Structure formats: structure tokens, C-alpha cells
Amino acid sequence: MHPKDGIAEDRVRRVFRAKGKLNTPGLVSHVTQRAAGKEPLFLEDPDYLYMLVLLKEISQRYALKIYAFCLMGNHLHLLLSPQAGNLYDAMRDLFSRYAMWFNKKYERKGHLFAGPYRQAVCLDDGYLLAASLYVHLSPVKARAVAVPEEYRWSSVSVYCEEGAAPSFVDATFLLGILSERHAEARDVYRDLLHCTAKLEMAGVFEQEDIIERVRSALVSLFPPLFKRMARRNHAAKATGKNLLSMEALEDRIENLREGRVSRPETKPAKKYLIEQLIARGYKRGEIAQRLCISRKTVYNLLKTKK
């Protein structure tokens, strides 16, 4: 197997996390949650409204920035970032309170949700953009509406409608990735949304790397836009850490594994990649396997001074 193929497979397995979630302040995450079995999460309008009330309250209480959301009949999507290391607590509060309310209202017992929420981290602007487009297109993919703007229970209006009502959703961060001029960014986002709607898309619960696939398709269609976003990389900078884009990290790992790093630079290069992987939540053993080095080497390199 070619090293890059192994890296790609590893990335796919790590797209959505049910365990070992990252709690880094400023880290943008795509959070998904679904109902247990074929049970619904929302049966009527007041159910959707109560979830939105809770989401607004939780975002204020835990200082979460909400960038996008979509509530579907049996699952939901959130794009958000914690400003403190409290994502676990915030999501536990949100989902437990809704489950208690829903069970009481409909006189039901048992688990409402299928299990722990899942998290996909958005470490570069291209992935973040693709995730937001996917979130807003979920109702179209499910054939609930013909166009995303028709769906009531998502944040799409904040991105596409001029003069949209004030909301707890912060669209300025994501739109700012597209253009510094708000009106122009809105037009670009709307065009991207309609373009992405033409792509074949599976569900994130069936195909975990679907957003990366959407991102790759958009890169091929709009290369100048994605090159510009890669240079700026607002999503990574929001964490306060110097995180490489996924492509840049993969390229450096491949170069290292294939021996294309000169000998005097090997140790610093390995240490840098180890730190990048740790920032993404990889454990020492996983890092050793990915870089084809021993665990002891990983620990020793981390001890070395810069």
C-alpha cells in the first residue's frame, strides 16, 4: 500500500469521533446526533422550537459560538466552537435536557438518542465551508424541500437572505472566509450552496468521509477560492495554535515516510508533526504507527528542546 493511501484511510476513520472528542477552545466542530433506531427526535413544530430555545440558552450559558445548524426529523447537525474547554458539558446539558422534555411530553421511556454525539473537527477553512454547505443541504438531500431556503429548521436564511432576522447564529465568521465584503460573501455562499446541491451526497451516518468528498469536489470546481482560503486558514487560527491544513500535514507525513526530508532536519520535522497530530487528538501509539517510528521515539522527541 502506498503511504498516502494509508494516510487517507486513517483520515476517514478519524472524521467523526464518538469517543476521544477534542475540547480545545476555539476549535470548530461539526456535531451530529441522531435518534435511537427509527425513533423521531421531532414530531411537531413545538419540538423543533424547544430545541432551538435550548440551543440558544446553552450557547449563552457555555459561551459557544454557533455557526450553523439543521434540525431534521430523526437527527441534527451543529457547527460550533467553544470559547472555553466546556464542549462536553454543553452538549451533555443540551441533549439530556431535550431528551427529558421529549420523554415527558410524549410519555415515553428509554434512550432518545442513539448514543454519544459525534464530532468532526474543522481544521481548515475548506472543510468548514464544505461542512456548512452540507448541513444546509441536508433537507434537500432528504427530499424534505426542493431548495434549502425553503426549510424552516436550519440557519440557511442567516447566510442567504439579505436583512435576515437577528439570530444567535454567527454567520460573520464563515462568510468572512469568502470575502471581507458581506454582501459579496453572501452571494458567493448562495452560489456555492446551489452548486453543491447538484453533487451526489450520502449521509454522514452512512458515509463518514462525505464532507471531505464534497470539499474535494468543490476544490476542483473553484480552485482559486480554495487556494486563497488555504493561505488564510481562519479555522485553524481560531484555536490559537499553529495548525497545518490537512493537505499540508499529509504531504509532510508522506515526505517524512518516504525519506524526502534531509537528515539534519529529520528530528525537528518529526517533532513538529508529532505536535500537529497531538493537537488533533491522536494518541502516542497512533502517532508512532502513522509516522512509522516507535513509541519510545515519540516520547524522546517530545522531550527534546526546540
Side-chain angles (χ1 to χ4, degrees):
M1 178 183 290
H2 191 277
K4 197 164 187 176
D5 295 334
I7 293 168
E9 288 185 7
D10 190 55
R11 184 188 68 234
V12 170
R13 290 198 298 271
R14 287 193 160 270
V15 167
F16 280 95
R17 297 164 175 266
K19 298 180 180 179
K21 300 182 180 73
L22 303 183
N23 208 24
T24 306
L27 185 67
V28 183
S29 295
H30 175 197
V31 168
T32 58
Q33 181 58 286
R34 69 182 305 174
K38 296 183 179 180
E39 294 291 316
L41 288 183
F42 311 101
L43 288 171
E44 55 185 10
D45 286 1
D47 302 342
Y48 291 94
L49 289 170
Y50 184 67
M51 174 59 83
L52 292 180
V53 168
L54 279 181
L55 187 56
K56 180 179 180 181
E57 180 183 328
I58 294 294
S59 68
Q60 293 173 343
R61 176 180 298 178
Y62 291 91
L64 299 179
K65 286 191 175 182
I66 309 295
Y67 300 117
F69 71 84
C70 185
L71 310 181
M72 301 293 291
N74 67 345
H75 68 278
L76 59 84
H77 298 267
L78 304 173
L79 269 181
L80 49 77
S81 66
Q83 301 311 292
N86 58 6
L87 182 62
Y88 309 147
D89 296 334
M91 294 297 96
R92 182 176 63 245
D93 198 356
L94 174 67
F95 296 129
S96 64
R97 287 176 63 185
Y98 182 80
M100 290 175 60
W101 178 87
F102 188 91
N103 282 353
K104 182 177 181 181
K105 177 181 178 180
Y106 292 106
E107 298 181 344
R108 68 180 298 278
K109 295 181 180 180
H111 296 291
L112 176 62
F113 297 107
Y117 70 90
R118 298 196 300 171
Q119 174 197 40
V121 295
C122 303
L123 290 170
D124 65 76
D125 293 355
Y127 188 93
L128 172 58
L129 176 61
S132 73
L133 295 169
Y134 180 89
V135 166
H136 289 143
L137 284 167
S138 293
V140 178
K141 180 181 67 69
R143 299 182 180 179
V145 292
V147 294
E149 292 90 338
E150 293 178 352
Y151 195 68
R152 290 181 62 191
W153 310 112
S154 82
S155 54
V156 69
S157 63
V158 182
Y159 284 85
C160 295
E161 293 181 11
E162 199 66 47
S167 170
F168 61 88
V169 174
D170 176 15
T172 57
F173 179 73
L174 211 156
L175 290 176
I177 290 172
L178 298 175
S179 174
E180 295 179 357
R181 294 187 290 274
H182 192 73
E184 180 182 10
R186 193 182 299 277
D187 291 340
V188 173
Y189 189 88
R190 190 185 300 111
D191 291 344
L192 288 169
L193 190 65
H194 293 158
C195 180
T196 308
K198 300 175 184 178
L199 302 175
E200 291 186 10
M201 294 188 293
V204 294
F205 298 103
E206 294 80 32
Q207 193 176 75
E208 290 192 340
D209 67 332
I210 183 59
I211 293 175
E212 185 60 42
R213 292 172 184 266
V214 170
R215 179 191 179 283
S216 297
L218 291 173
V219 168
S220 65
L221 293 171
F222 306 98
L225 173 63
F226 280 80
K227 284 181 181 178
R228 185 172 70 249
M229 289 193 296
R231 288 195 301 268
R232 295 175 178 174
N233 208 8
H234 290 82
K237 290 177 181 177
T239 66
K241 297 183 179 181
N242 182 25
L243 293 176
L244 294 174
S245 67
M246 204 62 208
E247 289 88 349
L249 179 59
E250 288 170 3
D251 286 343
R252 292 201 186 191
I253 291 175
E254 183 182 8
N255 289 340
L256 186 68
R257 292 175 66 167
E258 293 190 343
R260 293 202 294 266
V261 178
S262 59
R263 187 172 299 277
E265 298 176 355
T266 300
K267 287 187 177 181
K270 286 182 179 179
K271 182 177 181 181
Y272 181 72
L273 293 178
I274 290 169
E275 291 171 342
Q276 288 284 319
L277 291 168
I278 288 175
R280 286 165 167 79
Y282 285 84
K283 296 178 181 179
R284 272 52 169 181
E286 295 170 328
I287 294 171
Q289 184 178 15
R290 188 160 186 181
L291 298 182
C292 295
I293 58 179
S294 67
R295 289 193 183 193
K296 183 178 180 180
T297 300
V298 172
Y299 284 100
N300 288 340
L301 285 170
L302 287 173
K303 292 178 182 178
T304 61
K305 296 181 180 180
K306 294 184 178 181

